[in-house]
């Protein structure tokens, strides 16, 4: 998704006037899309989200060990997760991912706007995003919006949206625009808007946004890794604040 799409996504988040380059310009975002030329990614991070901080829940994420794949190890404080190379014999909780190397957060989200960050430095195979409570947990299946997953993933030196297990996992159609591989990823969920956005939290640049979804019931923060380095949940502060 390009910058214009990112601005369209954020138009319902910005409700007040903005000051740009010390010249006051009244910009209405109620009925029309914000002009792309007025904004860059840094502005979107540091101004638009700052102005709506009162409406953003800065998530404190902990992991639910009962959902964790037998291939994963969750840290004692439940803030980190890594792949173990060894499949452990764990009890069937009815919530556990049996094949995909996934784990969900402890608390589901049912409304509001939420932001969190994950440290992914040193990891070459990971996935981040959200999943519906009703998603399949057993076996191997597509991780895509059609099956209740809204994620981006890294496979080596390339970032992708979703995961099509039945097709070419590295198909050009699924690749995100080329850019620096992030060491820290920010994820922003707007439940009522049906949107999930991903950012390189280090460069303040937009990576991808899923829009037009109609979330129902609980939505859970999701982590996937197939790397022995830890994925670490960072502070939930909104970017640039």
């Amino acid at each position: 998704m390009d910058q214009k799409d990112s601005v369209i996504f954020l138009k319902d988040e910005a409700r007040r006037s903005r000051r740009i380059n010390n010249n006051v310009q009244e910009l209405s975002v109620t009925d029309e899309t914000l002009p792309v030329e007025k904004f860059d990614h840094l502005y979107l991070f540091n101004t638009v989200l700052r102005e709506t901080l009162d409406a953003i829940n800065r998530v404190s994420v902990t992991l639910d060990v009962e959902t964790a794949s037998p291939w994963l190890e969750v840290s004692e404080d439940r803030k980190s997760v890594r792949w173990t190379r060894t499949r452990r014999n764990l009890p069937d909780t009815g919530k556990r991912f049996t094949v995909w190397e996934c784990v969900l957060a402890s608390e589901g989200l049912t409304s509001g706007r939420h932001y969190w960050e994950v440290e992914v430095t040193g990891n070459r195979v990971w996935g981040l995003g959200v999943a519906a409570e009703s998603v399949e947990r057993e076996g191997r299946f597509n991780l895509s919006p059609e099956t209740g997953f809204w994620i981006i993933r890294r496979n080596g030196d390339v970032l992708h949206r979703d995961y099509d297990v039945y097709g070419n996992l590295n198909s050009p159609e699924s690749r995100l625009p080329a850019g620096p591989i992030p060491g820290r990823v920010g994820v922003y969920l707007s439940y009522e808007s049906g949107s999930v956005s991903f950012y390189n939290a280090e460069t303040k640049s937009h990576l991808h946004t899923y829009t037009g979804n109609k979330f129902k019931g609980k939505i859970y923060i999701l982590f996937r890794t197939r790397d022995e380095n830890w994925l670490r949940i960072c502070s939930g502060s909104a970017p640039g604040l």
Side-chain angles (χ1 to χ4, degrees):
M1 176 168 290
D2 59 23
Q3 184 179 359
K4 182 177 180 180
D5 292 328
S6 178
V7 175
I8 292 173
F9 155 67
L10 286 170
K11 69 176 182 178
D12 69 321
E13 315 300 338
R15 300 174 185 275
R16 298 192 294 270
S17 301
R18 284 128 171 90
R19 184 180 298 273
I20 302 175
N21 297 326
N22 297 321
N23 295 319
V24 178
Q25 300 184 36
E26 297 298 325
L27 300 175
S28 172
V29 298
T30 303
D31 301 317
E32 60 183 2
T33 301
L34 289 171
V36 176
E37 64 273 14
K38 302 296 185 183
F39 295 88
D40 58 20
H41 293 308
L42 183 60
Y43 183 77
L44 286 171
F45 256 70
N46 293 348
T47 304
V48 177
L49 291 182
R50 180 185 290 118
E51 289 189 354
T52 58
L53 179 61
D54 58 341
I56 298 174
N57 179 18
R58 293 172 287 180
V59 184
S60 177
V61 183
T62 57
L63 301 175
D64 183 354
V65 295
E66 293 190 353
T67 68
S69 160
W71 295 96
L72 298 181
E73 176 187 359
V74 176
S75 64
E76 186 174 347
D77 64 0
R78 298 193 294 159
K79 294 289 187 178
S80 302
V81 60
R82 66 179 176 181
W83 184 56
T84 64
R85 287 185 176 269
T86 303
R87 193 181 195 280
R88 295 175 293 163
N89 186 18
L90 297 177
D92 182 6
T93 63
K95 303 192 300 180
R96 192 179 307 284
F97 289 92
T98 61
V99 176
W100 284 118
E101 305 88 349
C102 294
V103 61
L104 301 178
S106 298
E107 301 295 328
L109 307 173
T110 58
S111 64
R113 301 161 185 168
H114 309 270
Y115 180 82
W116 62 97
E117 292 183 357
V118 183
E119 185 73 34
V120 296
T121 301
N123 289 267
R124 292 181 59 81
V125 182
W126 51 256
L128 300 173
V130 298
E133 183 177 27
S134 60
V135 295
E136 183 65 51
R137 311 293 176 93
E138 297 186 6
R140 190 174 292 273
F141 41 81
N142 286 354
L143 303 180
S144 65
E146 290 73 25
T147 57
F149 295 87
W150 295 267
I151 68 171
I152 63 169
R153 58 186 175 86
R154 178 181 180 181
N155 186 7
D157 295 326
V158 182
L159 293 179
H160 298 262
R161 57 174 174 78
D162 60 45
Y163 201 120
D164 182 2
V165 71
Y166 301 110
N168 183 352
L169 302 184
N170 295 309
S171 66
E173 291 78 12
S174 74
R175 293 185 182 184
L176 299 183
I181 297 293
R184 179 181 293 199
V185 177
V187 188
Y188 179 79
L189 167 71
S190 178
Y191 190 99
E192 284 76 14
S193 297
S195 301
V196 186
S197 282
F198 302 86
Y199 298 90
N200 182 330
E202 297 172 316
T203 63
K204 306 297 187 288
S205 58
H206 173 254
L207 298 173
H208 184 64
T209 295
Y210 291 104
T211 59
N213 305 289
K214 294 183 178 180
F215 297 136
K216 296 180 180 179
K218 292 182 178 179
I219 297 295
Y220 284 86
I221 297 170
L222 175 143
F223 306 86
R224 175 182 177 257
T225 182
R226 205 163 187 268
D227 198 296
E228 293 177 273
N229 294 310
W230 292 98
L231 289 183
R232 303 180 189 277
I233 301 165
C234 308
S235 168
S237 297
L241 302 177

